[in-house]
Amino acid sequence: AQSVTQLGSHVSVSEGALVLLRCNYSSSVPPYLFWYVQYPNQGLQLLLKYTSAATLVKGINGFEAEFKKSETSFHLTKPSAHMSDAAEYFCAVSDDGSARQLTFGSGTQLTVLP
Amino acid sequence: ETGVTQSPTHLIKTRGQQVTLRCSSQSGHNTVSWYQQALGQGPQFIFQYYREEENGRGNFPPRFSGLQFPNYSSELNVNALELDDSALYLCASSLTGLRTDTQYFGPGTRLTVL
């Protein structure tokens, strides 16, 4: 079974600083990985996904993530944080069973300080 | 193209009651998944429907049941509500249910059980 671990339930960065949100996965098959963002009182919005093409994946709002098989990681980065990036971020892996459900990490709350 | 919509937005029920939550899939999508997101946690998979048939189920008791209709809209029914059922319920639709498919999430229904 697949699983996802997000290190750091809360991350704070200054506006303009690098954003790094960590995600490690466990999968018995080649994983398909996703990052979603959730703003307060809203549903989930897809930021980017990895489906075994390029290992560096570019998403919306300037975010990108790099798939590293040797480290079983899929960390999310953004070179320069903006106040509007403050939200909760979830890493997810797609299951390989008959139901293609997503298994989510517990989330990382990103705070951007002025 | 309309996105995933859910109704109602908020709902308050008392323990032991029954509730029905509704979801309209994104146009053209034939797969719908339901997730439960407890406060401060990542979403947990409840079940998935593909072409009106249940296609997989997470670790939820039988009092959680669902339906998918010919127009691919869906319902989640929960009987004998318990206090721990208080959560944000998210519906997600996808085009075909493939592992690589993106799941598009609705805004959710916030259920409070008193």
Side-chain angles (χ1 to χ4, degrees):
Chain A
Q2 283 73 17
S3 67
V4 171
T5 301
Q6 292 185 241
L7 297 175
S9 58
H10 291 84
V11 170
S12 293
V13 300
S14 298
E15 191 173 20
L18 171 72
V19 175
L20 171 60
L21 304 182
R22 300 179 186 275
C23 172
N24 288 88
Y25 68 89
S26 170
S27 177
S28 57
V29 298
Y32 296 140
L33 297 157
F34 302 77
W35 274 100
Y36 283 87
V37 61
Q38 186 175 36
Y39 297 100
N41 300 314
Q42 294 187 27
L44 302 174
Q45 180 184 6
L46 179 72
L47 280 175
L48 49 82
K49 68 179 184 181
Y50 167 77
T51 57
S52 75
T55 56
L56 181 62
V57 181
K58 293 187 184 298
I60 62 171
N61 302 338
F63 284 94
E64 62 182 37
E66 186 173 8
F67 173 72
K68 292 187 176 180
K69 183 178 178 180
S70 61
E71 299 178 7
T72 62
S73 68
F74 190 57
H75 301 332
L76 182 70
T77 60
K78 182 174 180 178
S80 177
H82 191 271
M83 298 296 287
S84 61
D85 295 327
E88 183 130 32
Y89 292 79
F90 292 96
C91 181
V93 62
S94 180
D95 190 71
D96 65 338
S98 60
R100 309 310 197 224
Q101 75 256 31
L102 295 172
T103 298
F104 285 87
S106 55
T108 297
Q109 180 68 47
L110 175 66
T111 300
V112 182
L113 305 170
Chain B
E1 181 182 272
T2 58
V4 179
T5 60
Q6 292 185 244
S7 62
T9 306
H10 295 85
L11 204 51
I12 299 175
K13 292 285 189 178
T14 56
R15 198 169 46 181
Q17 285 188 311
Q18 178 265 344
V19 69
T20 297
L21 310 182
R22 295 179 174 83
C23 170
S24 291
S25 301
Q26 188 160 317
S27 177
H29 288 187
N30 61 18
T31 303
V32 64
S33 303
W34 285 90
Y35 294 81
Q36 180 196 65
Q37 185 179 17
L39 201 59
Q41 297 183 21
Q44 301 266 326
F45 175 72
I46 302 175
F47 46 58
Q48 183 183 87
Y49 279 82
Y50 172 68
R51 293 185 175 179
E52 303 177 56
E53 297 284 334
E54 187 177 291
N55 188 44
R57 188 177 187 92
N59 189 26
F60 281 81
R63 61 189 184 84
F64 285 78
S65 63
L67 281 173
Q68 188 181 30
F69 300 100
N71 66 355
Y72 301 131
S73 64
S74 176
E75 286 182 356
L76 164 65
N77 297 289
V78 187
N79 293 321
L81 284 166
E82 300 177 359
L83 297 180
D84 285 348
D85 295 334
S86 294
L88 181 67
Y89 288 85
L90 296 164
C91 165
S93 73
S94 56
L95 187 58
T96 64
L98 294 174
R99 280 190 73 204
T100 53
D101 244 12
T102 296
Q103 292 193 23
Y104 293 91
F105 284 80
T109 293
R110 174 76 62 189
L111 173 65
T112 302
V113 182
L114 302 176

